[in-house]
Amino acid sequence: MSQPSAIINVMAMAAKKAALGLVRDFGEVDQLQVSQKGPADFVSAADLRSDEILRRELSKARPDYNLITEESEAKPLNPDQPTFYVDPLDGTTNFLHAIPHFCISIGLVEGKKPVAGVIYDPIKDEIFWAEQGRGAFVNDRRMRVSSRSQLNSALLATGIPFKGSKGRMEKFTKQLNNIAGQVSGVRRMGAAALDLAYTAAGRYEAYWEEGCYPWDLAAGIIMVREAGGMVSELDGGDQVLHGGTIYASNANLHDELRRRLTA
Ligand code: IPD
Ligand code: CA
């Protein structure tokens, strides 16, 4: 196993620290489901607490780096420094409904290129991590994208547009219609960072979604690439971190799936 570098250790320790609070709060959500008010306020407080811990830990370890989190206000970036993109709770809707599938995602980006990433699923205790040129790992095992090349045995993941994503449903329905009958299955698990981590781990052959943010994607992009997979925009463009559409897959099926999805 490759030894995690200093920066991966910093990111992993921050994620594990923030996750302690998330796991404790997740234990409460079940109780709150039945209350009149519901757990929504409680969950956004859990999200903010996680955000705060991550900001504190990362800026303590790397005070000069830029730091963008889903829950904090964007500050002007210093272009000479790398940027952490942090999602303190990816899979918020799952968390809110007491579904144990969520994670913390921390990506490190230089210029526009993700160079390191950590994604931690505290319920399954799986930590996915990758660094440019050093490979991708889940816990201490090396990750590789799947080698399946047959469309009919491929399992795909996606994100279905939801409230506030007006105008995307028609396009999505067409994509789904193009692909669902050709493959072994399509999953909508509800945490974009884990969709990418699972693609890197060879659990899915591919994942696509429109309307994601850099904090959903930065860590997962480097993971899929370091696991031997390919990542682009669905139309083939390379503005993948900020472009809004992500398409990640194993190398064998990349072109064929993209052709079908965009037909
Ligand atoms: C969302 C989840 C979801 C994806 C959305 C994301 P959040 O992030 O990753 O799977 O479909 O695009 O915004 O709101 O749970 O952090
Ligand atoms: Ca997210």
Side-chain angles (χ1 to χ4, degrees):
M1 171 197 141
S2 165
Q3 282 306 312
S5 67
I7 190 66
I8 293 288
N9 279 328
V10 162
M11 291 154 78
M13 275 162 68
K16 288 198 167 178
K17 211 169 231 182
L20 290 175
L22 281 186
V23 169
R24 202 178 41 238
D25 291 338
F26 185 69
E28 300 280 310
V29 169
D30 239 355
Q31 315 293 321
L32 293 166
Q33 296 292 354
V34 290
S35 78
Q36 268 278 301
K37 201 169 158 212
D41 290 347
F42 180 82
V43 170
S44 60
D47 198 356
L48 289 173
R49 274 194 291 274
S50 172
D51 198 90
E52 203 180 308
I53 295 170
L54 289 160
R55 273 189 285 123
R56 192 184 62 219
E57 294 301 313
L58 293 170
S59 52
K60 198 163 65 188
R62 293 292 183 277
D64 297 336
Y65 287 16
N66 301 299
L67 179 56
I68 296 183
T69 79
E70 184 174 10
E71 302 301 339
S72 63
E73 251 175 64
K75 293 199 195 101
L77 299 185
N78 175 351
D80 299 329
Q81 290 291 338
T83 304
F84 287 119
Y85 282 96
V86 177
D87 194 337
L89 172 56
D90 186 42
T92 318
T93 308
N94 285 343
F95 194 98
L96 180 65
H97 288 258
I99 297 169
H101 189 76
F102 57 87
C103 65
I104 287 168
S105 177
I106 308 172
L108 185 68
V109 173
E110 283 177 8
K112 290 185 175 167
K113 221 167 146 210
V115 292
V118 164
I119 295 172
Y120 182 46
D121 172 345
I123 299 295
K124 299 173 204 80
D125 196 22
E126 285 190 312
I127 189 149
F128 302 87
W129 53 282
E131 197 173 358
Q132 189 165 274
R134 301 178 73 135
F137 300 83
V138 50
N139 296 333
D140 56 3
R141 272 176 296 122
R142 181 105 196 195
M143 288 199 286
R144 298 249 180 241
V145 291
S146 100
S147 56
R148 287 194 179 88
S149 54
Q150 298 299 313
L151 203 62
N152 61 12
S153 61
L155 182 62
L156 273 55
T158 189
I160 302 173
F162 47 92
K163 66 179 182 198
S165 46
K166 260 196 249 126
R168 283 213 291 275
M169 191 52 100
E170 203 179 323
K171 199 160 152 201
F172 174 77
T173 313
K174 187 159 179 273
Q175 291 163 348
L176 192 63
N177 204 30
N178 285 348
I179 205 76
Q182 321 283 322
V183 295
S184 153
V186 181
R187 299 283 181 269
R188 197 295 185 243
M189 299 284 275
L194 286 176
D195 290 335
L196 284 165
Y198 282 24
T199 304
R203 298 173 185 175
Y204 300 135
E205 273 59 53
Y207 158 67
W208 90 97
E209 180 163 359
E210 189 167 352
C212 290
Y213 295 93
W215 47 77
D216 295 317
L217 305 176
I221 290 172
I222 180 74
M223 236 163 252
V224 172
R225 289 185 173 148
E226 284 296 316
M230 295 169 78
V231 185
S232 65
E233 292 180 83
L234 200 49
D235 65 5
D238 62 0
Q239 294 304 306
V240 69
L241 191 59
H242 299 276
T245 308
I246 176 120
Y247 169 53
S249 78
N250 74 5
N252 293 339
L253 283 163
H254 196 76
D255 291 344
E256 185 174 3
L257 280 171
R258 186 172 67 217
R259 216 173 27 249
R260 288 181 189 254
L261 280 165
T262 54

